[in-house]
Amino acid sequence: MLEFLIKIEFGSRVDYNFKLIVFDANLVAYVLKQPEDSSFAKLGDKMSDDSGLGSGGYDWNTEDELEIESFHSSCTTVPYGQTSGSRSLEENSFAAGPSNTKVFDSLINMGFHPEMVAKVIQEYGEENEHKLVEELLTYQELERSSQQQQQVEPDPTSSEYAASSWDDSSDNDDSSDEEIPKSLSKNDNTLLSLVKMGFNEEEALMALERLGPNSSLEELVDFISVAQLVKSEDALLPPEDKPQCNGHAKPRKRTLYESEVLGRKKPKVFEKRTCEEDDEAQAIHLPNPMVGFGIPTDPNSIITHRRLPHDANGPPYFYYENVALTPKGVWQTISRFLYDVEPEYVDSKYFCAAARKRGYIHNLPIANRYPLLPLPARTIQDAFPLLKKWWPSWDPRTKLNCLQTVHASAKLTQRIRAAVEQLQDFDDPPENVKKYVLEQCRKWNLVWVGKNKVAPLEPDEVEILLGFPKYHTRGGGISRTDRFKSLGNSFQVDTVAYHLSVLKEMFPDGINVLSLFSGIGGAEVALHKLGVLLKNVVSVEKSQVNRDIVRSWWEQTNQKGNLIDMDDVQQLDADRLEQLMSTFGAFDLIVGGSPCNNLAGSNRVNRIGLEGSESALFYDYFRILDLVKGMTPRFQ
DNA sequence: CCCACGATGACCGTCACG
DNA sequence: CGTGACGGTCATCGTGGG
């Protein structure tokens, strides 16, 4: 079966090639002059450095992209599969090069195909991982859109099988995951031979994958030669045909690919990303005021209709959350993974007395939302009436800032007391004292708890602000520090409940929930408060204390359904999901907020973006969501 | 009006230590 | 387990210049 596909694929590839014939005499000359140079990568790097513009701006990887594209949509049956099998492939293909396996590993862990990862690393180097992710996403988009195209208008000569093979096997990736790398690892020697012959290992690898494990060395050499020729063909595009892109090389090949190969409507993503300026222009910017598609307290703010990208539609419904203020580009990446759904940015200060700026990406309907009742107090003074007595007139705060995992030290509150005690007139302090005190109060979310006294909030108070039952996190062996930590990492229940409220009417008999990174169960509490019956909840949470909290809440609220908890998202693979779904049926909702450690502004140590060790768990959310999405039709 | 510039403020945190 | 020390990025806003 695999061989059959590959052969057809090869045919289709040749079709593509002929659409792209443009010769680059310079490049051909260069290649010929250096027949012993085994690494075309050098050339590629050199070229892409001064990239895009001018006569030297040869776009080395144009053909690679086609290769990836066509290979991926046909041979590989798991779009973003991540397997141990891929490892061997990765190691083999990189053994010869000076590769940073950390970067490679991390990209593989995000679920990208090793082949694609190898390509982009070669093209862009390893230092800018974010860039690499962007590129990989771009490839994925391309793949997705062409896959759709194929489904809509199958091409009898080349590509109809692609859609069907993909569809048929998207549910059981096990077979394919193993199949491809196995066959490749059997060809280590062949690969080695090709590299020794002076071929770039990537090209060799590509050829091997293309022609199958049983192809002869001659065939492979032939294939690579043709590939090289075609690469060079692409390079002679007249410069004026190349969009001017601020010195960045890649965009041209996309437009080329779209117009020449796809020849059909351009995927939105590529239009957006044609030039750097467009990147800027379409950068997701935060709404002001940050009310998302509306808040219950301002009917004028409410939008009841939006258009979801086709791929985004359920089942299952999904709901993803993370901090709104991330390093640049993070939400673009998240959004592109999550089927290009536009984030809904909401500040929970419109739901409670504390700010909490978060982005939510979900495919839920947005009409007829309703809030939990009673509405929580939305000012500090209403939420904590006892504080009013001590609140100075010159502290204008009515809302708290974001509730975090840490709180102010006793020493700081002591310093503030000292500063305030010295005042001759408490109600009218000098400007510098006022400024210092207010600054610290805002920074640490301090409240006035007595004469000259400020203090951080207690965990019980944080629970209330976040919409949890009082003492939700108290007792059962959890320390005060851990309470702050768990609460600081949690959902604001009222905000999430408002978004999830549409489920109540849709699922009168209850829902099955897959809750990833559950924490202290913000989503579960929200659903329960909404009166949505929880039939089966599979909850994945690393922290034991958090799992205990959820379990204890589950028992305390006399839930009739099942709570299955797990400690590691990595355990949740296709097999496990298959097992769960065949026991309970399909999941109706996949909810989760992945760790923000490497994104949050409070992190001074390693706020390194989505590829950070914690925040990269987002890719597991996506991986699992995408798996479930593929499996769901069978369990409906 | 537009743009550049600086000031201001907010931020689901990490680490070593006792 | 509690404590206390540790900046930088990013968005917004006001200002002054063209």
Side-chain angles (χ1 to χ4, degrees), chain A residues 368-439:
Chain A
N368 302 317
R369 292 168 162 183
Y370 63 91
L372 289 177
L373 295 175
L375 291 177
R378 269 169 293 123
T379 65
I380 306 172
Q381 289 75 16
D382 287 347
F384 306 110
L386 294 177
L387 304 179
K388 270 191 257 184
K389 184 177 175 189
W390 311 107
W391 207 273
S393 58
W394 45 271
D395 184 344
R397 293 176 298 152
T398 57
K399 306 269 188 192
L400 292 158
N401 282 333
C402 186
L403 304 165
Q404 303 194 126
T405 59
V406 289
H407 58 277
S409 62
K411 200 174 257 180
L412 176 70
T413 59
Q414 163 61 25
R415 279 200 291 266
I416 290 173
R417 169 154 64 175
V420 175
E421 268 174 351
Q422 288 176 8
L423 295 177
Q424 301 196 326
D425 183 1
F426 178 78
D427 293 319
D428 186 23
E431 205 57 41
N432 61 335
V433 175
K434 195 202 283 187
K435 191 181 172 205
Y436 166 71
V437 173
L438 282 179
E439 216 173 78

Side-chain angles (χ1 to χ4, degrees), chain A residues 2 43 71 99 149 164 176 227 276 284-285 351 353 367 418 427 444 476 502 514 520 525 617 619:
Chain A
L2 186 64
L43 177 58
F71 165 76
S99 88
Q149 284 297 343
S164 59
S176 61
E276 284 294 315
I284 302 174
H285 59 278
F351 287 84
D427 293 319
W444 291 103
V502 294
L514 178 53
I520 56 175
V525 172
L617 288 168
Y619 296 106

